[in-house]
Amino acid sequence: MAYHIKQFKQGEIIFHGGDSSDCAYIIEKGQVEIFVESNDAIIDILNEGELFGEMGVLDQSPRSTSARAITPVVLLEVKTEQITNRLAESDAIVKALVGVLLKRFRTMLPSQGMTAKSSNLLDQVESVVEQAGLSKFKLESELRTAINHGDIQTVYQPITDIQTEQITGFEALSRWSHPDRGYISPVEFIALAEETDLIIEVGDLVFSRAIELLSQLPKHVFININVSARQLDDDQFLKRVVAKIEQHGISPVRLKLEITETMVVDFKKAKQWLAKCREIGFPVCADDFGTGHSGMEQILELDFDVLKVDQVFIRNMFKSDRYQIIIESIANMAKRLDTKLVAEGVEHEKELKVLQNLGFDFGQGYLFGKPMREEDVIKLF
Ligand code: C2E
Ligand code: CA
Ligand code: CA
């Protein structure tokens, strides 16, 4: 359902008290005043980015005040349905909070003359909130149990030296086989784990297993591990990893940490974290490189050891010249910046040839191997 933009001239009325309400507004441009028409008393003046008219949407009762454009205004209209849809897609905690607020709001309503229709809408919003929130909470508690019972597995996908075509490393990836729902993609459960502190436990599990595996592999073999935003915020995280590598006598250069640019919200903090990793000796990779919005800013500000070019560029390199041109530019740039380059999602021999010619260092993808179990990794060497 698309959002509508509405424009009003200076002095124009947006709605009158007593009008029915089926939408709220966000001010894109200009200024709006909320007032009582009978005595012209101004209740509020609102500026760009502010929301108004939301009370009527929640209780479906007629507008209790009027709204007028003080300057020419551009408004984004938000329909009731869009609010309930958004709510259904939101974070479990946000839903639970909205649910509680709605219940309180409902107890306030009868004194203001709630109609049967308004009660229906609140019921509707509440049930969306409860259902969606509960199923997620259930999954969250199951994930917790799965972690405790060791049902989260770690698999390892080969990373190959693109020139010699020899396997030189692996990326550790998590897997969950759920007793009823079957295989759940890490895209889903890692996102869920990231909303809670469970990602810290999943992360520690992956690091422990990967470090133990490294101690059984030849010294030139490395393992890449995905790091989540919460782990960056966890001051003890690097200390725990260092303690583990020391315990197993593993060199830090064999453990490469992958972070995505969506995680880098605060460049200053990310810089400090990178500096800490550098001091310890952990190489840091920019994962899914090229897909975010601030790729250039990121490599200007942050000194990565490795760029992992996202699969989308490899998949499309023969479909569109633009993708190929961009891969070439990234390859030139990486050479001059002295940054190692990994291509993700390499599936075909002809893609490999192009990447070899462009001077990529490593490749990862089904052409070289799918993620495999620990015992199969050990058998390879
Ligand atoms: P990612 O870090 O970009 O991992 C690469 C994904 O691409 C993996 O999906 C891998 O199986 C898939 N892949 C590799 N080669 C090919 C190929 O040739 N073709 C295609 N089509 N796909 C390929 P997977 O295992 O489903 O993981 C998805 C994402 O979940 C990962 O993306 C990563 O962001 C996240 N993830 C997985 N395990 C962990 C973990 O332990 N911790 C954290 N923080 N994130 C994880
Ligand atoms: Ca990754
Ligand atoms: Ca990736």
Side-chain angles (χ1 to χ4, degrees), residues 171-173 225-226 258 260 287-288 308 344 364:
E171 176 175 2
L173 295 161
I225 300 189
N226 295 289
E258 297 193 4
T260 60
D287 197 3
D288 304 340
K308 281 191 94 173
E344 283 194 276
Q364 183 179 343

Side-chain angles (χ1 to χ4, degrees), residues 53 62 136 175 199 205 223 239 267 269 275 299 328 333 371:
K136 210 159 176 188
R175 295 284 176 268
I199 193 63
L205 203 71
I223 294 183
K239 287 193 187 129
F267 277 112
K269 221 166 75 185
I299 47 170
E328 280 172 26
M333 185 178 70

Side-chain angles (χ1 to χ4, degrees), residues 224-261:
N224 282 25
I225 300 189
N226 295 289
V227 176
S228 290
R230 273 194 199 238
Q231 289 168 297
L232 296 194
D233 288 337
D234 175 0
D235 288 338
Q236 297 302 312
F237 162 67
L238 285 177
K239 287 193 187 129
R240 287 197 299 274
V241 179
V242 170
K244 276 178 202 148
I245 60 166
E246 282 174 353
Q247 189 192 338
H248 286 86
I250 302 288
S251 159
V253 294
R254 299 178 65 195
L255 209 56
K256 303 191 187 185
L257 310 184
E258 297 193 4
I259 66 170
T260 60
E261 85 178 52

Side-chain angles (χ1 to χ4, degrees), residues 19-21 55-64 112-113 115 118:
D19 285 355
S20 66
S21 29
M55 290 304 278
V57 169
L58 285 176
D59 69 4
Q60 290 288 283
S61 57
R63 303 280 187 201
S64 55
Q112 297 172 0
T115 60
S118 64

